[in-house]
Amino acid sequence: MENYFQSVVIEQVHPVIDAGRYPIKREEGDTVTVSADIYKDGHDVIVAFLRYRKKGAKSWTDLPMEHLSSDRWQASFTVTEVGRYEYTIMAYPDAFLSWRSDLEKKQAAGMNVVSEILEGQRMLKDAGKQAPAKDREVFDKLVAALQVSADPRVALAIFNAPELTELMDRWGDKSLATHFEPILEVKVDRVRARFAAWYEFFPRSQGKVPGECSTFKECEERLPDVKAMGFDVVYFPPIHPIGMTNRKGPNNTLTAGPNDPGSPYAIGSHEGGHKAVEPKLGTLDDFDALVQKCHEMGMEVALDFAINCSPDHPYVKEHPDWFFKRPDGTIKYAENPPKKYQDIYPLNFHCANREELWQEMKSVIEFWIQHGVRIFRVDNPHTKPVTFWEWMIGEIQNDYPDVQFLAEAFTHPKMMRVLAKAGFTQSYTYFTWRNFKWDLTEYMQELTQGPMREYFRGNLFANTPDILPTILQEGGRPAFEMRFVLAATLSSVYGIYSGFELCENAALPGKEEYLDSEKYECKVRDWNRPGNIKPLISTLNRIRKENPALHEYDNLEFYKSDNENILVYGKCSADKQNIIIVAVNLDPFQGHHSYVYIPVESFGIPLNETFQVHDLLNDERHLWKGEKNYVSLEPGKQAANVFRVRRWLKRENDFDYFSM
Amino acid sequence: MENYFQSVVIEQVHPVIDAGRYPIKREEGDTVTVSADIYKDGHDVIVAFLRYRKKGAKSWTDLPMEHLSSDRWQASFTVTEVGRYEYTIMAYPDAFLSWRSDLEKKQAAGMNVVSEILEGQRMLKDAGKQAPAKDREVFDKLVAALQVSADPRVALAIFNAPELTELMDRWGDKSLATHFEPILEVKVDRVRARFAAWYEFFPRSQGKVPGECSTFKECEERLPDVKAMGFDVVYFPPIHPIGMTNRKGPNNTLTAGPNDPGSPYAIGSHEGGHKAVEPKLGTLDDFDALVQKCHEMGMEVALDFAINCSPDHPYVKEHPDWFFKRPDGTIKYAENPPKKYQDIYPLNFHCANREELWQEMKSVIEFWIQHGVRIFRVDNPHTKPVTFWEWMIGEIQNDYPDVQFLAEAFTHPKMMRVLAKAGFTQSYTYFTWRNFKWDLTEYMQELTQGPMREYFRGNLFANTPDILPTILQEGGRPAFEMRFVLAATLSSVYGIYSGFELCENAALPGKEEYLDSEKYECKVRDWNRPGNIKPLISTLNRIRKENPALHEYDNLEFYKSDNENILVYGKCSADKQNIIIVAVNLDPFQGHHSYVYIPVESFGIPLNETFQVHDLLNDERHLWKGEKNYVSLEPGKQAANVFRVRRWLKRENDFDYFSM
């Protein structure tokens, strides 16, 4: 029965994911706005507090909540540190405020309030008993003052004194308070979890001598080029020793020649496993130096975490019990019947010794953390238990809250969502397959405007070593420009796989895979080959950095245009000082023009005010007015407009003298 | 770490209220269709079971769930008894089925499957170890059979035997099963909780001598009239002794004359409190006889539970600690400053002795249950703690699962909702104030089509002793007809307060209250006064009983019409055999006609088939065809159509000989 003595209802708390099963996500410096339905029986004055703390702290910070309307209350707190925060709500009927409100009404109606004043005195006395000496003195003085004067107006003045309200807030009766359960959590990541431009390259393909694989040292020479393009994160596919048994040859053939380097995803040889580097790339010291160099240039390294073992991986000998076995005791290779993947032995995450296996996987991450890596791109997480990731990421982030994980799960939508809920900092998306106005709009709204905005950060890769989408194969350079602008402006976090800047688009016939894929051979490229789109890339990455509106993820808004091939959208900084409008021609083959409809009033621009749009890509400026304006885009000439909206600072009637 | 070893994700379970905080509601014989997102990493075959049981039973009944699409699974169970049921979901990767599926693919591809067959044998052996002797024998026989033949086709036939699938279902490895939590609940009520027509009358106003109050015995004489109108529930305002102190006179005046009976809501005098009957009405035995009479006629009594104490209530002397007190020790009357309600002392549900008070309130309900009452209409529940109702209703329904509570909470929407979640069987609604097409449609969709359908049953009262809505005051008899049809067909459960059938519409000037309200005086009426709408009432109540579509609550669908004053909607039985279409003229002053648009294909009627609509109110029949048809309604002549859709049973090509 005791459980039933709470008196305030607190429900429909927002934000919350699956009733508190998973934390919401934010980044350093973000605001968490919490709202809830809060109400109770009768007419008592309700007081509600949003409580928050860094997880592990003993005491809560209490922020008074504001009643919006229809029993909806709200308050906001700021998360200043990377790590986990907790929040909840506490609300109670305030006997003192309820009584005071009644007293005021009765006095205004000229009723006798002698009894009410005595009642107030008693409340003060009771509260005083709870208070420490210093506050108790104040209570005692007020009670004494109440006894001196019989004038109810004097009493009301005393009861209304702000310091009394504050004291009663602290020491008044809260025995009927309701504490919302469960306590909810926020995972706070670095701003880079939300705002970053990624560049993927194979360390072995950065050399200059055709037919030869490059080393970490040669990678260092490539970094200035990456930096000049404006990227923040350099992501490497696996750098570990590659198995010899059943090594794959060029274009995924089953027979590798003696000089074929093999797929870096077939991890492990006699030279080591997940905690070693492929000797052809150099030493661990060389890797450390490369990481160091990146950091010095203001960039960061992301490493691939691919839980694949080649038959030569040290685990196979040291921990055969971690693998799936046949009745004859041999270890099973990966299969998707009738397909066989004989160069890969999958690990059994539910084997008898699973605790040992899970701990070892965690220790791989810790190993690379010790070598300066703070971002891990996880290969195919959807083929390992979701709960493994929840456990592992949770454990790692307890010790290293700044570490990020990107989920490469191209699979069912619900699996992609639950991996993000379970802890992945960022996720790959279906972006590469969304090409048209309706499907881009629908999908980006789902990612950034629906419930997913609380936990899923879509990292929009425009291509990957596995995905050369049709639009890039067919659309040539204008398609690369268009897709680049989309990736870099639809999301605050995006990436390209090297070769994109060179508009590489040779595919295996009828497939989305690259011809002569880098996954099976070392490549040498002229990174400044004519026809590259590096100027666009560096310009747009600079624009991204300079415009706070593009740093945010969930501020995306789509606008109407009359042409199915013209996609128009915008982003606006929270203070509305930075407004970006993007118009993209989705057709890489033909020019298109359209009226576009921008809700300028939502930016604070009156419908009758002429304003300037400044195309940050080509530095052209246009004067626009009202909601309906016009754009024209031509493949090969201009793939998109990235307008910054600029208002006139003043008019004469904005000055003081005008109204004097 | 142990907690993380589940492998299947089960989420977005539906139906669920506030993550399982409250039970969903159903009625005897109903189906509960449960769906959920169920999936896991990798490619294992998943098996999922919906588990349900009567609350308190030890074992679950497991129903296999069906995969619909995109990881959504579903199954249904039927609730056959009044009380509480529990349900949850269990899902696991089926190692045997996964292995068998791979085996089939490999064999089809002509691969060597010797090792796989050995693996299958081992699975059978392991499962056999778990099974009791009888099942183990079967396993042993199958394993032996597998060893006899080397032909993989023979093995596959054995592995595919249905009895083996069933045995493996029972004894296979389920160690990786996920059990959804929390366990969810269904409160199952009697069908009468969903389908009933209520009639409210004041027992003291059923007499024939002007100026004299009637008794329970005289009420018995009124019952045949109520029965003839087709009502199921007879609801009485409080029948307890009425206080003398500050008794209210006619029209809520502060001074009662010596013969004024007082408001029955000022409960308690020296003759007893909530467990007594007002002596002027008769004795408890008389009440019992009245209840008995109702039951004999197939009707049921609903009693008012109004937690109001007059200053003369026995509680005041026996339990002064249950009330609010002034500093001088006197008991406070009810106030809403500056208004005073000196005839009522409110109880303090959070007083020091609250456990005693709550138990006493519960015992009041139990007292009347002993006197044959199974339905309680609760006055102003929103002025007592929500948790009190949750506790009290829960306790009562543990012992008497068939007892129903109707919440009379005219207050904030969220409070009305939470009272229903917390346990109220039915609720009053805003229906009296919804008069037009848009607001009736919006509100009825909210009640019957949104999340509220799972827990909130709106009992549509067309009037109450406190509410004589403007439309009835102004619209006269056509308005009463129109509002009656709406109440009786929009919801499966509805009610009227007596006098409605006589079209009584005299109000206090400028108010929604009745002039010379029965709340303060005894009335005598000619129940067959000319101008009454009893024929309509009895006809429509008969139509309701005869048409299963009108027994359901959440099968309401609105259809388009071209006229703002013509509201069109329909209800269809689950088997689509009973289809009712209602067209109502919302304007009591003018006739209206309109095209109406009915999605006949959803009833299984082809667009080119002529069908019959039979107006059950006036027995007229029309031939309609396709979606667009026509209605015409005239105040005073016909307020509404209540069409039953009738199809031609056969055409020649429906007979066998046609295709022979």
Side-chain angles (χ1 to χ4, degrees):
Chain A
M1 195 163 178
E2 194 57 43
N3 290 340
Y4 290 94
F5 291 141
Q6 299 182 336
S7 70
V8 181
V9 179
I10 305 176
E11 51 179 23
Q12 309 298 338
V13 176
H14 180 89
V16 66
I17 300 170
D18 295 358
R21 169 73 180 79
Y22 302 102
I24 62 163
K25 294 196 180 90
R26 290 293 187 276
E27 302 86 37
E28 277 174 291
D30 272 4
T31 293
V32 182
T33 298
V34 179
S35 57
D37 291 343
I38 301 176
Y39 54 93
K40 76 177 288 292
D41 55 291
H43 301 283
D44 295 312
V45 174
I46 293 176
V47 175
F49 290 96
L50 168 61
R51 327 192 75 188
Y52 75 99
R53 65 185 172 195
K54 194 85 196 289
K55 192 171 180 177
K58 273 185 195 154
S59 61
W60 295 98
T61 301
D62 287 349
L63 299 173
M65 296 183 81
E66 183 193 0
H67 182 234
L68 303 176
S69 72
S70 190
D71 300 322
R72 193 81 189 157
W73 295 62
Q74 184 173 294
S76 301
F77 66 98
T78 302
V79 287
T80 53
E81 288 174 58
V82 164
R84 287 207 174 212
Y85 282 73
E86 294 181 317
Y87 62 102
T88 185
I89 291 172
M90 185 260 278
Y92 58 92
D94 191 313
F96 177 70
L97 294 182
S98 305
W99 161 88
R100 194 172 70 185
S101 157
D102 281 359
L103 174 64
E104 282 168 0
K105 287 176 196 156
K106 286 176 186 176
Q107 209 195 359
M111 293 161 74
N112 182 326
V113 292
V114 172
S115 173
E116 281 71 12
I117 289 173
L118 287 172
E119 211 171 327
Q121 277 188 19
R122 198 179 54 191
M123 275 193 233
L124 266 57
K125 276 185 202 164
D126 289 349
K129 283 179 202 156
Q130 308 300 318
K134 200 184 131 202
D135 285 351
R136 191 160 52 237
E137 272 175 40
V138 183
F139 277 119
D140 289 346
K141 267 186 218 165
L142 293 169
V143 171
L146 285 168
Q147 281 161 339
V148 171
S149 163
D151 186 340
R153 285 169 304 179
V154 174
L156 197 60
I158 293 171
F159 288 128
N160 271 323
E163 68 265 30
L164 179 58
T165 308
E166 201 188 299
L167 278 177
M168 289 302 291
D169 245 25
R170 224 172 308 157
W171 306 114
D173 179 19
K174 296 185 183 69
S175 61
L176 293 181
T178 299
H179 295 261
F180 180 78
E181 285 179 348
I183 290 172
L184 303 172
E185 290 195 11
V186 194
K187 171 66 176 80
V188 180
D189 293 301
R190 291 183 287 154
V191 171
R192 193 159 265 178
R194 181 188 70 225
F195 178 56
W198 286 49
Y199 185 78
E200 172 178 5
F201 73 71
F202 282 66
R204 68 192 188 186
S205 292
Q206 306 308 313
K208 286 170 182 148
V209 185
E212 279 192 26
C213 295
S214 57
T215 64
F216 287 139
K217 282 198 195 301
E218 288 168 279
C219 290
E220 286 188 33
E221 290 165 33
R222 181 77 211 294
L223 293 182
D225 186 35
V226 177
K227 178 68 187 171
M229 284 189 278
F231 289 100
D232 308 300
V233 176
V234 179
Y235 150 48
F236 300 140
I239 56 171
H240 315 299
I242 296 170
M244 286 304 302
T245 306
N246 296 314
R247 177 177 279 198
K248 295 287 176 70
N251 286 309
N252 203 15
T253 47
L254 291 178
T255 44
N259 292 323
D260 285 332
S263 163
Y265 289 92
I267 294 168
S269 75
H270 67 281
E271 302 187 276
H274 283 76
K275 295 175 185 169
V277 295
E278 164 66 38
K280 284 185 186 148
L281 288 168
T283 65
L284 254 176
D285 285 345
D286 295 340
F287 177 75
D288 292 348
L290 176 58
V291 169
Q292 176 64 24
K293 195 83 183 175
C294 267
H295 289 178
E296 282 166 14
M297 297 173 78
M299 297 190 294
E300 195 168 341
V301 166
L303 214 58
D304 214 314
F305 183 49
I307 307 186
N308 297 328
C309 295
S310 96
D312 309 322
H313 197 292
Y315 290 158
V316 177
K317 277 189 190 148
E318 292 164 16
H319 301 283
D321 53 318
W322 290 355
F323 295 87
F324 293 95
K325 282 193 199 153
R326 296 192 190 82
D328 66 2
T330 57
I331 293 177
K332 291 186 178 181
Y333 47 76
E335 288 184 282
N336 188 7
K339 284 193 217 161
K340 302 174 181 183
Y341 304 98
Q342 285 155 313
D343 58 334
I344 300 285
Y345 285 0
L347 287 158
N348 180 358
F349 277 78
H350 291 295
C351 66
N353 259 336
R354 55 195 175 187
E355 296 215 16
E356 194 184 63
L357 167 61
W358 290 29
Q359 291 290 359
E360 171 65 16
M361 292 298 103
K362 180 187 153 196
S363 78
V364 169
I365 298 293
E366 285 168 330
F367 179 87
W368 294 106
I369 288 173
Q370 300 314 324
H371 287 274
V373 179
R374 283 289 185 281
I375 306 181
F376 296 88
R377 177 269 197 194
V378 177
D379 192 64
N380 287 329
H382 56 292
T383 59
K384 288 90 197 173
V386 175
T387 45
F388 163 71
W389 299 114
E390 188 176 16
W391 170 82
M392 199 275 275
I393 295 173
E395 291 277 304
I396 290 287
Q397 291 184 337
N398 273 347
D399 295 334
Y400 309 97
D402 62 331
V403 170
Q404 301 176 17
F405 294 86
L406 164 62
E408 188 249 11
F410 290 110
T411 182
H412 305 199
K414 288 165 189 171
M415 175 57 84
M416 290 172 69
R417 285 186 210 130
V418 84
L419 287 166
K421 291 182 198 173
F424 278 92
T425 319
Q426 299 176 351
S427 308
Y428 279 70
T429 70
Y430 301 145
F431 170 69
T432 43
W433 300 299
R434 302 288 167 129
N435 291 310
F436 308 110
K437 195 169 169 177
W438 74 271
D439 64 358
L440 276 165
T441 303
E442 181 189 74
Y443 188 55
M444 291 310 302
Q445 281 178 337
E446 181 188 343
L447 291 188
T448 67
Q449 304 307 306
M452 289 172 80
R453 70 197 285 176
E454 301 294 349
Y455 63 85
F456 187 103
R457 300 186 188 98
N459 187 335
L460 303 191
F461 264 80
N463 66 330
T464 80
D466 293 315
I467 310 172
L468 174 63
T470 318
I471 190 94
L472 297 181
Q473 295 186 26
E474 308 278 336
R477 194 173 189 270
F480 280 81
E481 291 176 332
M482 176 258 285
R483 296 295 299 178
F484 182 78
V485 172
L486 289 172
T489 56
L490 283 170
S491 174
S492 48
V493 57
Y494 82 101
I496 60 169
Y497 151 58
S498 57
F500 186 97
E501 68 271 41
L502 305 179
C503 306
E504 288 181 354
N505 68 347
L508 285 175
K511 302 216 168 182
E512 280 198 333
E513 285 160 55
Y514 280 89
L515 180 70
D516 303 329
S517 166
E518 235 177 319
K519 282 168 75 179
Y520 312 102
E521 32 190 306
C522 299
K523 297 242 172 202
V524 172
R525 298 176 176 98
D526 172 3
W527 295 107
N528 293 308
R529 186 192 302 163
N532 72 66
I533 60 164
K534 285 163 83 173
L536 172 67
I537 291 173
S538 52
T539 301
L540 193 45
N541 275 334
R542 179 180 50 72
I543 292 169
R544 279 170 49 92
K545 288 204 168 68
E546 288 172 357
N547 288 278
L550 296 173
H551 299 199
E552 300 295 329
Y553 180 75
D554 59 1
N555 60 343
L556 178 64
E557 204 174 342
F558 287 91
Y559 307 127
K560 190 187 151 200
S561 72
D562 289 333
N563 185 323
E564 270 304 289
N565 295 287
I566 301 280
L567 182 71
V568 191
Y569 50 94
K571 291 194 157 206
C572 186
S573 63
D575 63 5
K576 306 213 171 178
Q577 292 307 298
N578 186 250
I579 304 161
I580 298 292
I581 295 169
V582 181
V584 183
N585 176 10
L586 299 176
D587 179 350
F589 309 110
Q590 302 294 334
H592 288 278
H593 52 90
S594 179
Y595 283 110
V596 298
Y597 302 81
I598 314 292
V600 293
E601 283 177 309
S602 71
F603 307 146
I605 301 176
L607 288 179
N608 63 357
E609 183 180 304
T610 299
F611 59 96
Q612 196 194 115
V613 291
H614 176 194
D615 191 336
L616 303 174
L617 285 180
N618 66 3
D619 208 27
E620 278 183 7
R621 292 165 196 251
H622 306 263
L623 292 181
W624 279 10
K625 185 174 163 187
E627 295 201 322
K628 184 177 178 181
N629 292 283
Y630 179 81
V631 301
S632 179
L633 296 163
E634 191 71 40
K637 209 173 136 203
Q638 185 161 26
N641 303 123
V642 177
F643 291 125
R644 168 146 192 215
V645 174
R646 294 184 187 276
R647 297 184 61 183
W648 312 116
L649 288 180
K650 295 267 189 190
R651 288 171 67 106
E652 76 283 11
N653 49 10
D654 291 327
F655 288 95
D656 282 345
Y657 61 69
F658 199 85
S659 53
M660 274 164 85
Chain B
M1 195 161 179
E2 195 55 44
N3 290 339
Y4 290 95
F5 292 142
Q6 300 182 336
S7 70
V8 181
V9 179
I10 305 176
E11 52 178 21
Q12 310 298 337
V13 176
H14 180 87
V16 66
I17 300 169
D18 296 357
R21 169 73 180 80
Y22 302 102
I24 62 163
K25 292 195 181 90
R26 290 291 186 276
E27 301 88 36
E28 277 174 290
D30 272 4
T31 293
V32 181
T33 298
V34 179
S35 57
D37 291 343
I38 301 176
Y39 54 93
K40 75 176 289 290
D41 55 290
H43 300 282
D44 295 312
V45 174
I46 294 176
V47 174
F49 290 96
L50 168 61
R51 325 192 76 189
Y52 75 98
R53 64 184 172 197
K54 195 84 196 290
K55 192 171 180 178
K58 274 186 193 151
S59 62
W60 294 98
T61 301
D62 287 348
L63 299 174
M65 297 184 80
E66 182 194 1
H67 182 234
L68 302 177
S69 72
S70 190
D71 301 321
R72 193 80 188 158
W73 294 63
Q74 184 173 294
S76 301
F77 65 99
T78 301
V79 287
T80 52
E81 288 174 58
V82 164
R84 287 206 174 214
Y85 282 73
E86 294 180 316
Y87 61 102
T88 185
I89 291 171
M90 184 260 277
Y92 57 91
D94 191 313
F96 177 71
L97 294 183
S98 305
W99 161 88
R100 195 173 69 186
S101 157
D102 281 0
L103 173 64
E104 282 168 0
K105 287 177 197 157
K106 287 177 185 174
Q107 210 196 358
M111 292 162 72
N112 181 327
V113 292
V114 172
S115 174
E116 282 71 11
I117 290 174
L118 288 173
E119 211 171 327
Q121 277 188 18
R122 198 179 54 191
M123 274 193 235
L124 265 56
K125 276 186 202 164
D126 288 348
K129 283 179 202 156
Q130 308 299 318
K134 201 184 129 201
D135 285 351
R136 190 160 55 238
E137 272 174 40
V138 184
F139 277 118
D140 290 346
K141 267 185 217 164
L142 292 168
V143 170
L146 284 168
Q147 283 161 338
V148 170
S149 165
D151 186 339
R153 285 169 303 179
V154 174
L156 197 59
I158 293 171
F159 288 128
N160 271 323
E163 67 266 29
L164 179 59
T165 308
E166 201 187 301
L167 278 177
M168 289 302 291
D169 243 24
R170 223 172 310 154
W171 304 115
D173 179 19
K174 296 184 183 69
S175 61
L176 293 181
T178 299
H179 295 261
F180 180 78
E181 284 180 349
I183 290 172
L184 303 173
E185 290 195 11
V186 195
K187 171 67 178 77
V188 180
D189 293 300
R190 291 182 286 153
V191 171
R192 193 160 264 177
R194 182 189 69 226
F195 178 56
W198 286 50
Y199 184 77
E200 172 179 6
F201 73 71
F202 281 66
R204 68 191 188 187
S205 292
Q206 305 309 312
K208 285 170 182 147
V209 185
E212 278 192 27
C213 295
S214 57
T215 64
F216 287 139
K217 283 197 194 302
E218 289 168 278
C219 291
E220 287 187 30
E221 291 164 33
R222 182 76 212 293
L223 293 181
D225 186 35
V226 178
K227 178 68 186 172
M229 284 189 280
F231 289 100
D232 308 300
V233 176
V234 180
Y235 150 48
F236 302 139
I239 55 171
H240 315 299
I242 297 171
M244 287 303 301
T245 306
N246 296 315
R247 177 177 279 197
K248 295 287 175 69
N251 286 308
N252 203 16
T253 46
L254 291 178
T255 45
N259 292 322
D260 286 333
S263 162
Y265 289 91
I267 294 167
S269 75
H270 67 280
E271 302 187 278
H274 283 75
K275 294 174 185 169
V277 294
E278 164 65 36
K280 285 185 186 146
L281 287 168
T283 64
L284 254 176
D285 286 344
D286 295 341
F287 177 75
D288 292 347
L290 176 58
V291 169
Q292 177 64 23
K293 195 81 184 176
C294 267
H295 288 178
E296 283 166 12
M297 298 173 77
M299 297 190 294
E300 194 168 343
V301 167
L303 215 57
D304 214 314
F305 183 48
I307 306 185
N308 297 327
C309 296
S310 96
D312 309 322
H313 197 293
Y315 290 158
V316 176
K317 277 189 189 144
E318 292 164 15
H319 301 284
D321 52 318
W322 290 355
F323 294 87
F324 293 95
K325 282 193 200 152
R326 296 193 190 82
D328 66 2
T330 57
I331 292 177
K332 291 185 177 181
Y333 46 78
E335 289 184 279
N336 188 6
K339 284 194 217 161
K340 301 175 181 182
Y341 305 97
Q342 284 153 315
D343 58 334
I344 301 284
Y345 286 180
L347 286 158
N348 179 358
F349 277 78
H350 291 294
C351 65
N353 260 336
R354 54 195 175 188
E355 296 214 14
E356 195 183 61
L357 167 61
W358 290 30
Q359 291 288 1
E360 170 65 17
M361 292 298 102
K362 179 188 155 197
S363 78
V364 170
I365 298 293
E366 284 169 330
F367 180 87
W368 294 105
I369 288 173
Q370 301 312 326
H371 287 275
V373 179
R374 283 289 185 283
I375 307 182
F376 296 88
R377 177 270 195 193
V378 177
D379 193 64
N380 286 328
H382 57 292
T383 59
K384 288 92 198 169
V386 175
T387 45
F388 163 72
W389 298 115
E390 187 175 16
W391 170 82
M392 200 274 277
I393 295 173
E395 291 278 303
I396 290 288
Q397 291 183 337
N398 273 347
D399 295 334
Y400 309 96
D402 62 332
V403 170
Q404 302 177 15
F405 294 87
L406 164 63
E408 188 248 12
F410 290 109
T411 182
H412 306 198
K414 287 165 189 172
M415 174 58 83
M416 290 173 68
R417 285 186 211 129
V418 84
L419 287 167
K421 291 183 198 172
F424 278 92
T425 320
Q426 299 177 351
S427 308
Y428 280 70
T429 70
Y430 301 146
F431 170 68
T432 44
W433 301 298
R434 302 286 166 129
N435 292 309
F436 307 111
K437 194 168 169 177
W438 75 269
D439 63 359
L440 275 166
T441 303
E442 181 190 72
Y443 188 55
M444 291 311 303
Q445 282 178 335
E446 181 188 341
L447 292 187
T448 67
Q449 303 307 307
M452 290 171 79
R453 70 198 285 176
E454 301 294 348
Y455 62 86
F456 187 103
R457 299 187 189 98
N459 187 334
L460 303 192
F461 263 82
N463 67 329
T464 80
D466 293 316
I467 309 172
L468 174 64
T470 318
I471 191 94
L472 297 181
Q473 295 186 27
E474 308 277 337
R477 195 172 187 270
F480 281 81
E481 291 175 332
M482 175 258 284
R483 296 295 298 178
F484 182 78
V485 172
L486 289 173
T489 56
L490 284 170
S491 175
S492 49
V493 56
Y494 83 101
I496 60 168
Y497 152 58
S498 57
F500 187 97
E501 69 270 42
L502 305 179
C503 307
E504 288 180 353
N505 68 347
L508 286 175
K511 303 216 168 178
E512 281 198 334
E513 285 160 54
Y514 280 90
L515 181 70
D516 303 330
S517 166
E518 235 178 317
K519 282 168 74 179
Y520 312 103
E521 30 190 308
C522 298
K523 297 242 171 202
V524 172
R525 298 176 175 96
D526 172 3
W527 293 109
N528 294 307
R529 186 191 302 164
N532 73 67
I533 59 166
K534 285 162 82 173
L536 172 67
I537 292 172
S538 52
T539 302
L540 194 44
N541 276 333
R542 180 180 48 73
I543 292 168
R544 279 170 48 93
K545 288 204 169 68
E546 289 172 357
N547 287 277
L550 297 173
H551 299 199
E552 300 294 329
Y553 180 75
D554 59 1
N555 60 343
L556 178 64
E557 204 173 343
F558 287 92
Y559 307 127
K560 189 186 153 201
S561 73
D562 289 333
N563 185 322
E564 269 305 287
N565 295 287
I566 302 281
L567 182 71
V568 192
Y569 50 95
K571 291 194 157 206
C572 187
S573 63
D575 62 5
K576 304 213 173 179
Q577 292 307 299
N578 186 249
I579 304 159
I580 298 292
I581 295 169
V582 182
V584 183
N585 175 11
L586 299 175
D587 179 351
F589 309 110
Q590 303 293 335
H592 288 278
H593 52 89
S594 178
Y595 283 111
V596 298
Y597 302 81
I598 315 292
V600 293
E601 283 178 308
S602 71
F603 307 145
I605 301 176
L607 288 179
N608 62 357
E609 183 179 305
T610 299
F611 58 97
Q612 195 194 115
V613 291
H614 176 193
D615 191 336
L616 304 174
L617 285 181
N618 65 4
D619 207 26
E620 278 183 7
R621 291 163 195 252
H622 306 264
L623 292 181
W624 280 10
K625 184 175 164 186
E627 294 201 323
K628 184 176 178 183
N629 293 283
Y630 179 80
V631 300
S632 179
L633 296 163
E634 189 71 41
K637 210 174 137 202
Q638 186 161 24
N641 303 122
V642 177
F643 291 125
R644 168 146 191 214
V645 174
R646 295 185 186 276
R647 297 184 62 183
W648 313 115
L649 288 179
K650 295 267 189 190
R651 288 171 68 107
E652 75 283 9
N653 50 8
D654 292 325
F655 289 93
D656 282 346
Y657 61 69
F658 200 84
S659 53
M660 275 164 84

